[in-house]
Amino acid sequence: MERLQQTTSHTKTANVAANGSTSAPLSTGGFGQEDATNKKQSYVSHQPDSHGHIQYGDHENAMWQALLERQASEIPNRACSDYIEGLKKLNLPATHIPQLSDIDEVLQANTGWQTAAVPALISFGKFFKLLANKSFPVATFIRRFEDMDYIEEPDIFHEIVGHCPLLTHPAFATFNETYGKLGLEATKEERWFLARLYWFTIEFGLVGRSRADRRIYGGGILSSPSETIYALSNQLQNPSLSSPECRAFNLLDVLRTPYRIDQIQPIYYVIDDLDTLFDIVDSDIMGMVKKAMSLGLFEPSYQIKTR
């Protein structure tokens, strides 16, 4: 979801609302940034030509190839089976960045979705409108080698490799569409709370009824080589390594949990299976948002950055 280039407050609901703005610049991922210092946007999307074709440079295609090769050795053992199936359907090229029209052909055939080329930063309103109309925003730039492990701005690798495979799955696709429709009708303050739902599901969600069955479905994890490994790490098996806290999905708790976009996540929420997203869609999401607003946010599980 939108990753705002500004600092928001974690202490009280009113402060979060006061700092939010539907006109603030946002990234294509769709997440309100919970805590980060102001920084200049360093990436610029490519513009398609009159035929909708985007020409990428050799260094950009090399970055795509390096990322894809690295993830190819990690994803099969860590991603959920529905993601693996979707990845096979996309049949992504190994040596160059694909054209969005090729992705659209697969998505349209499976769930009726398509991609939409956008700048690196878009507004809340545009993000929600695209999702509500079954169009997934994709910023048409790719990270530099120094940002290989983790990038704050969601690039084309994040959007295509992280999210598009599961957009072939009905539950994942329906969740995104419903989320977009809810966001269009939500107030500024409600959108800040909705941001956390997207963050802890579509971006950084885990799935599996038991620890042994636990796998990744969040695109923010699957597009990050280092976080793909970290998310399923077990400190009991290797005490020298840090490991995340995995919590059973609870909608109210998710809506009240702060996050930071500029570091590997300390907390993940786990759903039983991907069809659980259907159950979330059928629940009273906005009623829970209002309850979360009245209760306020939990204390952050990380150090808050100062200006």
Side-chain angles (χ1 to χ4, degrees):
M1 215 173 46
E2 298 85 345
R3 298 179 182 177
L4 302 189
Q5 301 302 305
Q6 62 185 45
T7 303
T8 64
S9 170
H10 299 278
T11 54
K12 298 294 181 182
T13 300
N15 289 339
V16 176
N19 286 331
S21 172
T22 56
S23 61
L26 309 172
S27 77
T28 62
F31 295 92
Q33 181 166 330
E34 294 289 334
D35 188 75
T37 54
N38 287 340
K39 63 182 294 186
K40 183 180 179 180
Q41 176 70 23
S42 57
Y43 287 98
V44 178
S45 292
H46 289 282
Q47 297 301 311
D49 62 21
S50 59
H51 302 289
H53 186 274
I54 295 176
Q55 184 68 40
Y56 295 98
D58 290 343
H59 65 288
E60 293 170 309
N61 286 321
M63 181 75 259
W64 172 272
Q65 183 174 354
L67 283 165
L68 207 59
E69 287 176 351
R70 184 166 169 181
Q71 289 301 80
S73 64
E74 303 297 343
I75 284 178
N77 299 318
R78 293 178 169 85
C80 68
S81 58
D82 293 311
Y83 173 89
I84 299 298
E85 182 178 344
L87 194 61
K88 292 177 180 177
K89 290 177 180 178
L90 289 180
N91 192 27
L92 298 173
T95 59
H96 61 273
I97 300 171
Q99 295 299 313
L100 295 186
S101 58
D102 296 330
I103 305 299
D104 292 346
E105 184 176 346
V106 178
L107 298 184
Q108 285 281 322
N110 283 271
T111 56
W113 275 70
Q114 62 185 0
T115 61
V118 298
L121 300 177
I122 61 175
S123 68
F124 261 126
K126 184 173 183 178
F127 176 77
F128 288 126
K129 186 176 182 179
L130 285 170
L131 293 188
N133 287 284
K134 303 173 75 170
S135 293
F136 198 80
V138 177
T140 51
F141 70 89
I142 195 164
R143 70 195 71 181
R144 294 184 289 268
F145 276 90
E146 58 265 30
D147 292 328
M148 183 173 187
D149 280 332
Y150 185 85
I151 181 174
E152 291 183 23
E153 305 92 339
D155 64 351
I156 194 167
F157 184 82
H158 167 85
E159 306 294 14
I160 290 182
V161 177
H163 293 306
C164 286
L166 281 176
L167 279 172
T168 65
H169 190 282
F172 191 91
T174 299
F175 182 96
N176 275 275
E177 181 183 3
T178 302
Y179 182 86
K181 291 177 179 178
L182 292 175
L184 282 177
E185 301 297 324
T187 65
K188 289 191 297 183
E189 186 176 0
E190 288 169 344
R191 286 177 173 182
W192 281 98
F193 281 84
L194 280 174
R196 300 181 189 96
L197 173 59
Y198 205 88
W199 185 263
F200 288 110
T201 53
I202 303 305
E203 290 291 349
F204 290 92
L206 300 180
V207 59
R209 296 180 185 276
S210 67
R211 178 184 291 273
D213 295 332
R214 193 170 296 161
R215 294 293 184 269
I216 303 165
Y217 76 95
I221 306 174
L222 291 168
S223 60
S224 169
S226 57
E227 192 147 7
T228 298
I229 297 172
Y230 167 81
L232 297 182
S233 60
N234 187 344
Q235 196 170 28
L236 295 177
Q237 296 174 350
N238 191 341
S240 65
L241 298 177
S242 62
S243 58
E245 178 185 355
C246 295
R247 301 176 180 176
F249 184 90
N250 177 286
L251 179 55
L252 183 60
D253 287 351
V254 166
L255 295 171
R256 299 180 63 200
T257 303
Y259 62 84
R260 268 177 58 173
I261 73 165
D262 58 347
Q263 65 179 33
I264 286 179
Q265 300 302 300
I267 296 171
Y268 300 110
Y269 282 93
V270 187
I271 59 176
D272 286 343
D273 54 54
L274 214 60
D275 282 345
T276 301
L277 295 176
F278 278 133
D279 298 332
I280 298 172
V281 164
D282 290 337
S283 67
D284 184 10
I285 294 175
M286 296 312 299
M288 282 296 187
V289 165
K290 290 177 172 59
K291 186 172 182 179
M293 289 165 59
S294 68
L295 293 172
L297 300 182
F298 295 133
E299 287 297 317
S301 58
Y302 50 81
Q303 183 178 357
I304 298 177
K305 294 174 68 173
T306 57
R307 293 182 186 273

